[in-house]
Amino acid sequence: MSTPEVRRHADSDTLVGDVATALIERLSAAQERGEVPQIGLTGGTIADDLHRELARRAGDSSLDWSRVVFWWGDERFVPADSSDRNARQAREALLDHVPVDPARVHEVPASDQVATAEDAAAAYSATLRSEGAGFFEVLMLGIGPDGHCASLFPGHPGLEARDAIAVAVHDSPKPPPDRVTLTFEAMERCRAVWFIASGEGKADAVARALAEEGSVAETPARGVHGDETVWWLDEAAASRLP
Ligand SMILES: O=C(O)[C@H](O)[C@@H](O)[C@H](O)[C@H](O)COP(=O)(O)O
């Protein structure tokens, strides 16, 4: 587990552009090693901006989108066609615009496909166990003003989950209330965890996440560490860092 690296950018446009460049380079390099890289996508506004930028650049590189495996760090437990689904947002912004292999896009089951969020978490965990490579090349994460990442919220039982890849979340403080999220244990099986955050509204959470002292219970983003962890920030989101 390495010390988190912080990469600051003047504004959200340059932030999104640099993350897109780095992500395409990293996935292409994995393919050049003969690998089929696994990426965990996240929901949220800056992630949506990133997905759109990746789609704009789709033809600019040698990246073979059909040899990338897509997962989600979390998902809302709502109907599959709900605009609240992270997967629907990612398809509209990116996956419907690049030649992915549909068999390599693994959505979390939706509320009109299984009965409960627990069933969805169990099914998604089983798929990750059978189809995953045992690790993510890159896990993308946003951060909420309360310091949550994926759907691991302050004080929630999911923070304590052990021996589980994905768990159900209820009473999420960020609507919708029912979700599925990867656990800290699952998130640590990453060559790289990339947090991406933009705007003054995230500055306090980012500072708490990167502070020397602090609790994971209060700021869950403190609990996620890949082999490498990079915080991709614009100056506004980095404004409370020393
Ligand atoms: O399902 C979700 O809601 C997301 O996965 C969530 O973890 C998101 O990444 C952060 O809340 C940041 O969202 P914004 O970028 O919209 O602030």
Side-chain angles (χ1 to χ4, degrees):
M1 182 172 68
S2 61
T3 305
E5 177 189 349
V6 175
R7 295 186 188 177
R8 303 170 77 138
H9 300 76
D11 54 42
S12 61
D13 288 345
T14 52
L15 167 64
V16 164
D18 283 1
V19 177
T21 300
L23 189 58
I24 289 170
E25 285 173 358
R26 187 170 185 120
L27 296 175
S28 300
Q31 291 182 347
E32 284 155 21
R33 295 193 300 269
E35 298 172 11
V36 181
Q38 316 248 339
I39 180 171
L41 301 179
T42 190
T45 46
I46 192 68
D48 196 57
D49 293 345
L50 171 63
H51 297 157
R52 294 181 191 285
E53 180 64 20
L54 288 167
R56 273 193 289 273
R57 300 178 182 217
D60 297 354
S61 74
S62 61
L63 179 62
D64 179 350
W65 290 93
S66 70
R67 289 177 57 240
V68 178
V69 186
F70 295 90
W71 305 90
W72 276 266
D74 73 321
E75 184 56 277
R76 291 83 177 280
F77 190 61
V78 293
D81 63 357
S82 165
S83 59
D84 274 339
R85 286 277 287 183
N86 289 335
R88 176 173 165 178
Q89 291 175 17
R91 285 184 185 279
E92 288 175 349
L94 172 61
L95 303 180
D96 289 348
H97 306 284
V98 292
V100 301
D101 175 352
R104 287 176 164 158
V105 180
H106 300 290
E107 294 191 18
V108 179
S111 64
D112 51 356
Q113 296 165 339
V114 296
T116 65
E118 284 73 10
D119 293 340
Y124 190 58
S125 300
T127 304
L128 249 168
R129 260 187 224 99
S130 62
E131 307 280 330
F135 65 89
F136 287 104
E137 180 64 30
V138 182
L139 175 66
M140 303 299 302
L141 289 172
I143 184 171
D146 60 358
H148 80 260
C149 58
S151 286
L152 292 171
F153 293 97
H156 267 234
L159 302 183
E160 308 301 327
R162 293 290 176 271
D163 301 326
I165 292 177
V167 293
V169 173
H170 301 291
D171 307 319
S172 163
K174 177 179 181 182
D178 298 316
R179 294 157 170 257
V180 173
T181 188
L182 293 182
T183 61
F184 283 133
E185 284 179 337
M187 291 183 183
E188 289 180 1
R189 302 170 67 91
C190 295
R191 285 181 176 162
V193 171
W194 286 4
F195 285 95
I196 179 169
S198 168
E200 179 69 31
K202 301 300 175 68
D204 184 54
V206 167
R208 295 201 321 270
L210 289 169
E212 283 293 314
E213 302 298 323
S215 83
V216 170
E218 288 171 11
T219 309
R222 293 181 63 85
V224 187
H225 310 282
D227 296 347
E228 70 172 71
T229 304
V230 181
W231 286 79
W232 297 87
L233 308 172
D234 62 11
E235 281 306 329
S239 58
R240 304 261 175 83
L241 294 179

